[in-house]
């Protein structure tokens, strides 16, 4: 069978193709001259399958889409405390190039506006890195996200730096506020070069998929940044990624995202996929008009909105039964599905409200697909408390979904793979 996903993406492009509203970014001459008709989309799943349609080979400058990735590198290289001291995480509601700082501290409000991004640029790499060393760290890091070596478009860089008066003003303010240690011109030069890295929609989809996959590039399998960093970056993308259009974006589309003035747009859906679009005409916020439309469509068609409440799954507690008879009988509680906090809470509640009556009890995980880390701790605590209440506790866990099941502190559990094993074991026991 041929997958319908490429057809769906082609159809989505067709549906927005006729819209020629918006303008290409006019403050960077090289971008103003870009072909405004270009249109492309790519989707990369969290396990690395790439689908794309339209002008997928067209390379364009990454611009502000570099910001979340460089923020990730800064967090990974310098730690949260040092980065937070210099850049806050509050949505500013301001345009991307606004000259505004947090009252009292003089920090930029977030890493997605230019002031914050120029600062995080200076925080990538080790503290004693020279500007060229930092530039290499950034190219290497963004290339690791993309899974291939990225290059700078020197024409875009020259074009932007020759008119970067506002960004220079920002860098001077940042230096005056003590937020950057670099010479302001070095910081702007490095930041502008970072923005001039060339990417295709496929690169961007893979970069976003690396975020969606917790920081590990799903194609090369290279761990690029830790999962805790990804959580921070996605949170900031969700609240600040679309500049002064962020609130509308989050309510209408509901996916952590970042746009760039060359016309790129990415969205990262945690645990599912990275999506990228390219169309150079921008709306008044500096976001790609057709890109935003495509994402609106994807949200509806693919149910991507993060705040969508999932339909209730089947109850985690599947049932109870007695296995064996007489003194050998074991009371088994069978669980099912994927277990997270609320599922584990149901298990604990059932064990409290309707206590197990047999001395030997088993929890069957045969139909359980996954146990989240919090649920794992809760289930192990249930095992421990059952032991302390005087039960002999067994786990039927053929696939080891409850890895390393040590309840600790007086808890004891015997792990078996099947009911037969349990019965054999019970017979063998005195
Ligand atoms: N290099 C651009 C600037 O600093 C990035 C802005 C953007 O893509 O939104 O003005």
């Amino acid at each position: 069978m041929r997958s319908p996903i490429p057809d769906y993406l082609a159809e989505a492009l067709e549906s927005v193709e006729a819209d020629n509203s918006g303008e290409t970014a006019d403050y960077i001459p090289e971008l103003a001259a870009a072909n405004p008709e270009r249109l492309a989309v790519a989707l990369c799943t969290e396990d690395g399958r790439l689908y794309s349609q339209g002008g997928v080979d067209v390379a364009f400058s990454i611009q502000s889409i570099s910001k979340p990735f460089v923020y990730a590198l800064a967090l990974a290289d310098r730690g949260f405390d040092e980065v937070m001291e210099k850049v806050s995480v509050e949505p500013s509601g301001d345009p991307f190039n606004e000259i505004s700082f947090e009252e009292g501290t003089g920090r930029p409000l977030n890493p997605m506006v230019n002031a914050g991004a120029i600062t995080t640029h200076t925080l990538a790499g080790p503290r004693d890195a020279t500007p060229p060393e930092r530039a290499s760290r950034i190219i290497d890091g963004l290339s690791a996200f993309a899974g291939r070596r990225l290059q700078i478009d020197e024409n875009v860089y020259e074009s932007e730096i020759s008119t970067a008066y506002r960004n220079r003003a920002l860098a001077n303010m940042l230096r005056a506020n003590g937020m950057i240690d670099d010479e302001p011109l070095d910081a702007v030069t490095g930041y502008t070069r970072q923005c001039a890295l060339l990417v295709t929609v496929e690169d961007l989809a893979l970069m976003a998929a690396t975020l969606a996959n917790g920081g590990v590039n799903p194609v090369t399998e290279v761990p690029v940044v830790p999962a805790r960093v990804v959580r921070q970056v996605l949170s900031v993308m969700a609240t600040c990624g679309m500049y002064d259009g962020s609130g509308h974006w989050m309510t209408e589309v509901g996916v952590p995202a970042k746009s760039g003035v060359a016309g790129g747009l990415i969205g990262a859906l945690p645990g599912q996929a990275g999506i990228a679009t390219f169309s150079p005409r921008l709306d008044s916020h500096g976001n790609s008009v057709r890109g935003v439309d495509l994402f609106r469509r994807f949200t509806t068609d693919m149910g991507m909105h993060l705040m969508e409440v999932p339909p209730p799954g089947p109850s985690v507690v599947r049932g109870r039964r007695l296995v064996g008879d007489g003194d050998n009988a074991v009371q088994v509680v069978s669980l099912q599905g994927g277990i997270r906090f609320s599922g584990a809470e149901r298990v604990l509640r059932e064990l409290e409200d309707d206590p197990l009556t047999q001395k030997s009890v088993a929890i069957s995980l045969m139909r359980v697909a996954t146990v989240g880390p919090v649920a794992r701790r809760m289930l192990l605590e249930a095992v421990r408390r059952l032991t302390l209440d005087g039960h002999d506790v067994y786990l039927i866990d053929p696939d080891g979904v409850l890895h390393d099941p040590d309840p600790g502190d007086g808890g004891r559990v015997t792990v078996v793979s099947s009911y037969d094993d349990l019965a054999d074991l019970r017979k063998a026991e005195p």
Side-chain angles (χ1 to χ4, degrees), residues 27-28 63-64 67 96 114 160 167 191 195 243 259-261:
Y27 72 104
I28 302 174
Q63 296 297 338
S64 280
K67 292 172 180 174
F96 70 97
N114 286 6
E160 183 168 356
N167 284 341
Y191 163 76
C195 289
Y243 304 128
S259 62
V261 284

Side-chain angles (χ1 to χ4, degrees), residues 101-113:
F101 301 92
E102 188 180 60
E103 245 180 73
T105 63
R107 282 186 302 182
L109 285 151
N110 67 66
M112 301 294 124
V113 289

Side-chain angles (χ1 to χ4, degrees), residues 233-290:
V233 171
L234 290 177
S235 306
V236 172
M237 285 166 71
T239 49
C240 317
M242 300 296 277
Y243 304 128
D244 43 344
S246 293
H248 278 100
W249 175 269
M250 199 54 204
T251 50
E252 287 165 25
V253 181
V255 175
K258 187 71 205 85
S259 62
V261 284
L265 178 54
I266 61 164
L269 202 58
Q272 294 202 59
I275 301 177
T277 59
F278 173 54
S279 170
R281 289 195 197 91
L282 310 178
D283 62 19
S284 57
H285 306 292
N287 300 324
S288 164
V289 174
R290 296 192 292 191

